Amino acid sequence: MSAQPFRLASGGLIDRSQALSFRFDGKSYGGHAGDTLASALLANGVRLVGRSFKYHRPRGILSAGPEEPNALVELRSGARREPNTRATVAELFDGLEAVSQNRWPSLAFDLLSLNGLFSPALVAGFYYKTFMWPASFWEKLYEPLIRRAAGLGRAAGAEDPDHYEKAFAFCDLLVIGGGPAGLAAALAAGRTGARVILCDEDFRLGGRLLAEKREIDGRPVAEWLAAALAELESLPDVRLMPRTTVFGLYDHGTYGAVERVSDHLPQPQPHQPRQRAWRIQAKRAILAAGALERPIVFPGNDTPGVMLAGAARTYANRYGVLPGRETVLFTAGDDGWATARDIAAAGGKVAAIVDARADADPARKALADRLGARLFAGGVVERARGGRQLDQVTIRDASGATHALACDLLAVSNGWNPTLHLTSHQNGKPVWDEEIHCFVPGTLPAGLAVAGSAAGRFTLATALEDGARLAREALGDLGLSVAAAGPVPAADDEPCGLKPLWRVTGGKGPVFPGKAFVDFQNDVTDADVELAAREGFRPVEHLKRYTTLGMATDQGKTSNLSGLAIMAEQTGRTIPQAGTTTFRPPYTPVAIGALGGHHRGKAFRPVRLAPTHGWSSEQGAVFVETGQWLRAQYYPKPGETDWLATVNREVLAVRETVGICDVSTLGKIDIQGADAAAFLERVYINGWKALPVGKARYGLMLREDGFVMDDGTTSRLGEHHFLMTTTTANAGKVMQHLEFCHQVLWPDLDVGMVSVSEQWAQVTVAGPKARKTLRGVVDPEHDLSNEAFPYLAARAVTVGGGIPARLFRISFSGELAYELAVPAGYGDAMMRALMQAGAPFGITPYGTEALGVLRIEKGHVAGNELSGQTTARDLGLGKMMSSKKDYVGRLMANRAALNEPERPSFVGFKPVDRRERLRAGAHFIGVGKAATMANDEGYMTSVAHSPHLNHWIGLGLIRGGSARIGEQVRAYDPVRGGDILVEICSPVFLDPEGARLHG
Amino acid sequence: MRITCPYCGARDAQEFSYLGAADPVRPDGMAAAEAAMADYVYLRDNPAGPHRELWYHGSGCRSWLIVTRDTRTHAISAVEPAKVRKAGEAA
């Protein structure tokens, strides 16, 4: 670890007792707690920190904040590597590793900087001009080439090992920014007892107070700040959130923020997230985000060592780092002078002050003399030189004479732009203020006020006043008392005169003209803007897209206004005529991981487990995801190596003895009321009024456009009490639909409904021995004989000695079958009791695969057929459609086109060569016809291997449907290389008379 | 976005799902012409301005609500339960 040659002997807000070690491009350096990566690099004299995007120009540190366009690094390594991290806001920690970007092979010697020599080919619009022809070259040649040469950092390429979370917060007043305006607002509001949240993107609260040598209430700012923060911390309803960027303003007082919980640590503490995305609901908010300093465009203005003047001051005052030993200040206003003063106070030499304003204020002259600096009033810096490190500037004085001056820091000051980004997230257009030469917030979103520099009120005194005043106003609006808000902190006004200077021309030499950068991050020069103006890309939106100005990850925070100003100058307009910049969220880049929170991978959505899940696991079930549910797919036994062997065994067990299968995941909706039957009449296509109490019926419901929505059995448990079942996938959708039908379409019906899907565990007991099995579980007083409990009976029973249960004699498998439902908590016990009762018959648990085979053998439709594109007639269920009543979808289902006989409709299929396997998704093509869209006759929806028939069977939709039974067609499956002959047949492959069902 | 449910208070829009215009009235399927039903099913205005629309508070009280929202600004001027309306009655 080397010494820190540019670290001041004292001063700054760093903890000198805490030495930190870090690595940049493999080399070891030292810093202190309280440093950013940028301040630590500067302390170590590292000026060159990256190469630029397009021309691979050497770049240094321009700013000390979130606007940084140059000092972008890859932070951390391995799976935690994060590209494009701004070194100016990356908090230093012990062991930090950073690597510079866009250099090859090394930062100091970059072969691709030759791009600069070929720069005529890389000017604005070069993508559109250079790589036009031939088209096929784009993918193979141009794009890979451009991507290697121009680029940002590398993503980690491995799964992010850290966690992220989402959180919600609510407050009366949200204060965005912890500088003087924000602190004054939070203090005023907090003292009244209002619920206040104060967010600041920095790791230390204070904003510009951290970087300025000023006084508030007659005390040095550091002292005032410490007292203010202590007071805020003592207020119980004030929440201070440093390291939290409010990145977006959304409708109705919703603010998005991201808290960097662990970014300042090598890795998160156990059980801590890396970042936390907040959704803050604020009744009122004050934007006190301060301002961002503006550069000046002149040749060589990107040379490492050219820095914003405010940033230079920040490094000296806050971080105890001398940003240069020999400084030249180039300023267009009063604010830059504070930098000259503070750098001199820190022991730096100020060689010259170039103030573009011609008027020579005697006070300024006196200050320059006191600092020992040459003053060039009315002069400009026309060029900066030095390549990898600034070593000289060329100054043109008011008379036009040029002076070359050696220096290693050029501090540039051109006034500040209010950080008004959030005010334009709801379409608010910033407006140009001629007095102060910047855009200020225009129409404000409801509930938001803007204080201090963010509103263009740049002095410390006005910031403090604004914050306190706007906090009082906000609380007053909310009807809260402001009696306890306390005094407004006071400060002297500092001079803030400004005559902005957007660019300096005339410094370009004939041989090496030098580039003057507008957008540092995207390498857009003043010549590019001029070119855009010449070629007609003048509206700001065209300028932006043609030159890529403002489109990098910094979103033009330091470049948009210079670009607009040059375009205005080129086209003879004023800046507001040239255009305004509209900002959209996010204010600074937000990691997708933070927005996703815990919802990724397996946790992307909740997993729902059936009440019998534990039992199924014990049985060795293989589970399958069906929507949010995990359902038992099949239950392999030792020795069964193939899922098909398992499924065949399960199917045959049901057909020959008895099987059980969990169906708890089906939607269950309890419907009650005097008009419950009338309500069902309107949502189902078939009739319900005549259904006797104690009976179940199959029902089919349509959408209003006439297509099938869902099916299931509904049982009448009482005169005014029904229990509807839905498919697993549509349970939520059907519930919403029923509520719509009731609340919106027919509010006069006396009916109410509630989902009971999770209240009941339900199991199918199917097979010739189903009744005998149930006999061992259902209490003996309930007669289960065929006469007493016939097909479609549905009644309350008790099981296991008085446990309430419901028994339904319904069948999806075509066998003698029942569904037994018990309160969910008994589900596990029910499975075990049934297994015990069925043991003498070899009872076999079966999963969704066998369930599917059983229903396909019987030709029952399921999710594959209820695709949202099929009608009741398509599915062979047209006869269910009642003509005597209105129901949802009735009129639309009767449209002529939906009743064409040529519409694909539901039939069965079997392979002509019985050894062939069928594939769902195969399309039907006439024998001898070409496999084209025009000859497509329909497709296979479901297939299964029938162990009963010992060959594959299928269900599908084909033009002409049942009229074509006996015909042969091709089942064409190009995806899996299948093309076989199949025979159209009845969809019922087993027991068409239903003898088994009624057994 | 926030929607003030008349039953649950101000809630995040994530709790709700959107359906569409609230004003079209479903014709009686036994009496109406097919064209009238087709209009009800398919035809919607796309106003720039106040829009009465149906939202379902699925993660709350399961109410269907008529929300009057300005499509240009998302400003919500009224939220009322849909159920108050009587069948067949124009809104």
Side-chain angles (χ1 to χ4, degrees), chain A residues 355-693:
Chain A
D355 192 323
R357 296 171 296 179
D359 60 309
D361 183 326
R364 293 204 291 263
K365 173 74 181 132
L367 179 56
D369 288 345
R370 190 159 58 78
L371 300 178
R374 285 176 72 181
L375 175 62
F376 295 90
V380 293
V381 171
E382 65 170 35
R383 184 146 193 183
R385 294 173 195 273
R388 282 178 268 164
Q389 157 69 53
L390 178 72
D391 54 24
Q392 190 193 73
V393 294
T394 309
I395 297 167
R396 188 169 72 228
D397 67 21
S399 73
T402 57
H403 310 260
L405 243 71
C407 64
D408 62 351
L409 175 70
L410 177 65
V412 178
S413 179
N414 188 30
W416 300 69
N417 284 330
T419 306
L420 49 71
H421 300 66
L422 290 177
T423 68
S424 81
H425 286 183
Q426 299 261 291
N427 279 337
K429 295 269 181 240
V431 293
W432 182 255
D433 188 322
E434 202 57 55
E435 293 287 308
I436 53 174
H437 314 286
C438 61
F439 282 106
V440 294
T443 315
L444 294 180
L448 183 77
V450 190
S453 302
R457 291 159 59 77
F458 290 118
T459 68
L460 177 55
T462 53
L464 294 165
E465 267 165 44
D466 270 11
R469 174 176 53 83
L470 293 171
R472 286 162 190 266
E473 285 179 17
L475 299 189
D477 263 12
L478 297 174
L480 301 173
S481 164
V482 294
V488 179
D492 292 335
D493 261 331
E494 68 273 23
C496 57
L498 172 73
K499 188 166 181 292
L501 173 68
W502 302 111
R503 72 161 166 168
V504 178
T505 51
K508 299 190 180 181
V511 182
F512 295 107
K515 287 186 168 47
F517 284 88
V518 178
D519 182 331
F520 298 92
Q521 200 185 343
N522 261 355
D523 267 358
V524 179
T525 65
D526 62 341
D528 291 324
V529 179
E530 288 175 1
L531 184 70
R534 280 203 303 281
E535 297 192 341
F537 296 93
R538 295 178 174 194
V540 61
E541 296 300 329
H542 290 173
L543 166 68
K544 186 175 158 181
R545 282 157 187 82
Y546 194 58
T547 63
T548 72
L549 174 75
M551 292 176 77
T553 59
D554 68 347
Q555 290 285 291
K557 289 186 176 64
T558 54
S559 64
N560 283 334
L561 194 55
S562 316
L564 273 180
I566 295 169
M567 180 55 82
E569 169 205 298
Q570 290 294 304
T571 54
R573 294 176 295 174
T574 63
I575 289 175
Q577 283 169 341
T580 57
T581 48
T582 309
F583 303 100
R584 280 178 279 271
Y587 164 64
T588 47
V590 178
I592 294 287
L595 298 177
H598 288 298
H599 296 268
R600 65 178 199 188
K602 286 284 176 197
F604 181 69
R605 60 181 181 189
V607 175
R608 300 171 77 183
L609 302 180
T612 59
H613 186 84
W615 173 85
S616 299
S617 302
E618 277 174 33
Q619 301 293 312
V622 172
F623 292 94
V624 62
E625 285 180 28
T626 53
Q628 295 180 340
W629 290 99
L630 275 189
R631 298 186 71 179
Q633 190 175 16
Y634 51 96
Y635 295 82
K637 280 196 165 170
E640 289 172 345
T641 50
D642 179 2
W643 67 271
L644 192 54
T646 303
V647 173
N648 285 341
R649 170 179 57 73
E650 292 175 8
V651 170
L652 288 172
V654 173
R655 297 269 181 241
E656 284 160 16
T657 58
V658 62
I660 53 171
C661 177
D662 183 282
V663 291
S664 305
T665 61
L666 293 181
K668 300 182 262 315
I669 301 172
D670 196 277
I671 301 169
Q672 299 191 36
D675 293 325
F679 180 70
L680 291 177
E681 291 269 318
R682 297 188 194 185
V683 296
Y684 276 135
I685 65 173
N686 46 331
W688 294 86
K689 281 190 171 155
L691 180 69
V693 172

Side-chain angles (χ1 to χ4, degrees), chain A residues 62-84:
Chain A
L62 181 74
S63 76
E67 70 272 36
E68 180 60 35
N70 285 342
L72 306 180
V73 298
E74 290 174 2
L75 199 63
R76 299 184 164 84
S77 58
R80 288 193 168 89
R81 187 172 71 204
E82 198 177 344
N84 306 322

Side-chain angles (χ1 to χ4, degrees), chain A residues 251-252 279 281 704-705 735-736 739-740 742-743 745 747-748 753 885-887 890-892 895, chain B residues 1-2 12 17 19 26 28-30 32 34 38 40-42 56 62-64 74 76 83 85 87:
Chain A
D251 292 299
H252 308 151
R279 189 182 282 236
Q281 194 57 45
E704 195 68 273
D705 65 2
M735 185 72 204
Q736 177 171 347
E739 294 281 17
F740 174 83
H742 173 222
Q743 295 179 38
L745 297 184
D748 51 340
M753 62 211 69
K885 57 155 188 167
D886 187 17
Y887 54 88
R890 176 181 183 273
L891 266 181
M892 292 292 94
R895 282 179 286 179
Chain B
M1 245 176 76
R2 306 277 287 176
D12 195 279
S17 45
L19 184 73
R26 184 183 186 274
D28 179 349
M30 296 303 277
E34 189 182 295
Y40 165 74
V41 172
Y42 295 110
Y56 177 60
R62 303 202 324 264
S63 294
W64 278 94
H74 291 185
I76 291 174
K83 196 172 179 231
R85 202 169 85 188

